[in-house]
Amino acid sequence: GLSDENIRYQIITFLIAGHETTSGLLAFTLNHLLKHPAVMTRARAEVDRVFGHDLSTQPTLRDVAGLAYIRQILNEALRLHPTAPAMQLTPFEDTVIGGKYKVGKGYPILALTTRLHRDAKVWGENAHLFNPENFAPAREKDRPPHSFKPFGNGQRACIGSQFALQESTLVIGMMLQRFNLVDHTNYQLRIKETLTFKPDNFFLQVRKRSEADREEVLEAADHQFDQ
């Protein structure tokens, strides 16, 4: 077992490493939802179907797992704007990458996830555009396995990745269940770089949803699918 001192250190690590990356992901995701009304409508309809209208009912783990489209939206936000924009890799032995790039043992290589996630050979000519369908099950199945690395790679990958995604899915779901989001400043994305990437000076307004609004959302979503 771990000593009390070590446990305290681990808790501090989780708090520091997890809060800024996750809050950045949530901010990027909310900005994309505001700028893509059709995606917002479909997301709210999914939340209404899965979470229901009773705000006093606590979502279960199964409910969170049922927000498949919300997870696609989060993954797409991570693709375009990974909050940890790079990772460093080091070869154990002298090697050749791609048949032509010689790299010596122990030589550090910085892999830019912001470039990896926009590779047109993998993501298509519109790789720079926000499209949650990039993470539809059929597309994920056919994609090269190392083309999406928002949480790092291998044994050094983020230990909290699944917790962060569960947490983010729950937060987005509960926000959309309760509020309409309003882009009251017509915000234009600017990236702020500190320890991580995040939107700079991003604000939005929220307005409590009505039952009439919920019915309109479901009708609008059904109309989208019919088309």
Side-chain angles (χ1 to χ4, degrees):
L2 300 178
S3 68
D4 288 350
E5 182 182 35
N6 195 311
I7 291 172
R8 286 197 299 271
Y9 290 155
Q10 300 302 330
I11 291 172
I12 291 171
T13 298
F14 267 73
L15 288 173
I16 294 174
H19 89 273
E20 187 169 341
T21 49
T22 303
S23 64
L25 166 59
L26 291 170
F28 280 123
T29 300
L30 291 170
N31 179 60
H32 284 304
L33 285 171
L34 287 169
K35 298 302 183 183
H36 297 84
V39 175
M40 175 82 86
T41 296
R42 182 175 170 184
R44 290 198 296 167
E46 179 181 70
V47 169
D48 287 346
R49 290 190 179 103
V50 176
F51 280 6
H53 298 181
D54 185 357
L55 302 185
S56 66
T57 300
Q58 295 285 344
T60 65
L61 185 61
R62 178 175 293 182
D63 292 334
V64 175
L67 298 180
Y69 189 61
I70 298 294
R71 179 65 73 89
Q72 288 179 220
I73 293 169
L74 288 164
N75 281 339
E76 180 68 352
L78 280 170
R79 181 184 74 83
L80 287 175
H81 302 291
T83 52
M87 56 184 171
Q88 182 172 294
L89 307 170
T90 305
F92 292 121
E93 304 292 343
D94 293 349
T95 188
V96 179
I97 298 177
K100 57 181 179 179
Y101 300 107
K102 294 182 179 180
V103 182
K105 175 182 177 180
Y107 190 86
I109 301 171
L110 190 67
L112 300 178
T113 47
T114 49
R115 296 295 298 273
L116 173 67
H117 291 176
R118 299 185 185 216
D119 185 349
K121 294 178 181 178
V122 175
W123 304 97
E125 294 182 358
N126 294 321
H128 61 291
L129 299 179
F130 178 78
N131 180 14
E133 291 306 309
N134 282 320
F135 291 91
R139 292 197 188 181
E140 283 201 286
K141 180 181 178 182
D142 295 334
R143 191 156 45 244
H146 297 294
S147 56
F148 182 60
K149 292 285 185 178
F151 294 101
N153 185 64
Q155 293 182 354
R156 297 291 183 178
C158 174
I159 194 174
S161 60
Q162 291 306 310
F163 174 73
L165 288 171
Q166 290 276 24
E167 183 180 43
S168 299
T169 303
L170 176 64
V171 170
I172 294 294
M174 294 183 74
M175 287 186 68
L176 296 184
Q177 183 191 31
R178 287 161 169 75
F179 303 111
N180 287 324
L181 309 181
V182 181
D183 184 14
H184 64 296
T185 65
N186 189 28
Y187 178 75
Q188 302 302 307
L189 182 62
R190 298 183 302 276
I191 303 295
K192 180 178 182 179
E193 182 177 359
T194 55
L195 179 64
T196 62
F197 279 5
K198 66 196 76 175
D200 185 30
N201 203 34
F202 173 57
F203 293 89
L204 56 81
Q205 289 182 344
V206 297
R207 297 173 184 167
K208 188 176 180 180
R209 296 184 64 190
S210 65
E211 286 304 315
D213 170 72
R214 297 179 195 280
E215 295 300 326
E216 291 176 5
V217 165
L218 289 175
E219 290 178 7
D222 288 340
H223 181 66
Q224 278 184 218
F225 290 125
D226 290 341
Q227 291 182 327

